[in-house]
Amino acid sequence: MTGSPTPPPGHFALRHPVIGPRPLARTRSFTRRGGRMPRTHQAAWDRWADRVVLEVPRPAGEGSTVVDPAYRLDPEEVFGRRAPLVVEVGSGSGDALVAGALQEPGRDFLAFEVWRPGIGHALAKMETATGGAALPNLRVVEADAAVSLRTMLEPGTVREVWTFFPDPWPKARHHKRRIVTPEFAATVADLLTPDGTWRLATDWDDYAVAMREVVGAEPRLRLVSTDRAPLRPVTRFERRGTEAGRTITDLAYALR
Ligand SMILES: C[S@@+](CC[C@H](N)C(=O)[O-])C[C@H]1O[C@@H](n2cnc3c(N)ncnc32)[C@H](O)[C@@H]1O
């Protein structure tokens, strides 16, 4: 699948209040940790990336995490059906993604992750969980979610957005790198279906407070639950937080 390099007239990126016709810069929520993949993850990448990791146009070149703002992904074309769509932002090594796709075959799962070794690990988990097959309802985009989600999906089409254990950037001078910003909250509000939910989790109290402030200030969203997200498995980030004596906070928001 490729997108046209020139946005068609009237494409919403051109009319977007934040983006306008300018090229997009990536967000600062991540540093690109390269690193080699363990051999088993690389082997899983080699076997499955063609089928599971979507090819998207990148005006700044192959290694860029910024997707062409003119490109629109059609989930029906990608998954071959129309089903409730779950978008995971920062899927890491894929625990929630693979568990979710396995447990909910009636939903489609689209993950955004910028850390290729994490995607390789997710593919290895998928392969182990299925006994050597791809999950038909799981796809990954290797791209900056905060930027790509402003343009890549049709507004009002995502049933759930998951942002589990986003990088906490604990030092005060790094807080501006946190992915949960007013702009990102507006992006998620744009994407949710009327019955949609944005689920977040963190083990950092001050990030939980900041999430409640930032997302609470988005006039289209309201807090509907602080219960543990139903499909969220325990990942090493939760374990690490709990072992360090931190409290896990879950937040779920819906449209007003
Ligand atoms: C702390 S990890 C948590 C991973 C996973 N959600 C979990 O709970 O195990 C955060 C992940 O978000 C990814 N990430 C950070 N900023 C991102 C962005 N703008 N777009 C996509 N992924 C991002 C990082 O590469 C990292 O893998």
Side-chain angles (χ1 to χ4, degrees), residues 30-203:
F30 56 94
T31 50
R32 253 191 143 188
R33 297 161 286 164
R36 285 161 66 92
M37 290 192 218
R39 207 177 313 149
T40 49
H41 302 171
Q42 181 66 56
W45 172 278
D46 294 343
R47 275 193 291 276
W48 300 109
D50 277 358
R51 242 189 283 179
V52 178
V53 182
L54 299 177
E55 256 183 54
V56 290
R58 305 168 194 271
E62 261 314 292
S64 161
T65 56
V66 176
V67 176
D68 186 341
Y71 171 75
R72 284 285 187 111
L73 181 141
D74 176 1
E76 207 173 327
E77 188 190 328
V78 167
F79 292 103
R81 65 176 183 175
R82 192 188 289 255
L85 182 64
V86 178
V87 167
E88 181 165 27
V89 173
S91 48
S93 50
D95 292 292
L97 176 69
V98 173
L102 269 174
Q103 285 172 49
E104 296 278 349
R107 300 207 233 173
D108 291 330
F109 291 77
L110 181 65
F112 287 76
E113 177 52 68
V114 288
W115 182 44
R116 185 173 288 195
I119 301 174
H121 198 172
L123 296 175
K125 282 178 183 156
M126 175 194 78
E127 192 175 30
T128 303
T130 57
L135 281 165
N137 60 336
L138 186 161
R139 297 289 189 284
V140 181
V141 181
E142 187 182 9
D144 180 339
V147 174
S148 316
L149 285 173
R150 292 189 218 154
T151 54
M152 223 172 119
L153 295 171
E154 197 77 44
T157 58
V158 179
R159 179 69 68 86
E160 292 201 12
V161 175
W162 292 355
T163 313
F164 296 151
F165 299 92
D167 292 307
W169 295 106
K171 291 182 184 154
R173 69 189 157 89
H174 287 151
H175 285 180
K176 56 182 177 297
R177 288 176 171 266
R178 288 174 168 175
I179 197 167
V180 180
T181 60
E183 294 73 30
F184 188 58
T187 298
V188 174
D190 283 342
L191 288 176
L192 289 178
T193 54
D195 59 349
T197 309
W198 182 14
R199 300 186 187 283
L200 303 105
T202 183
D203 58 327

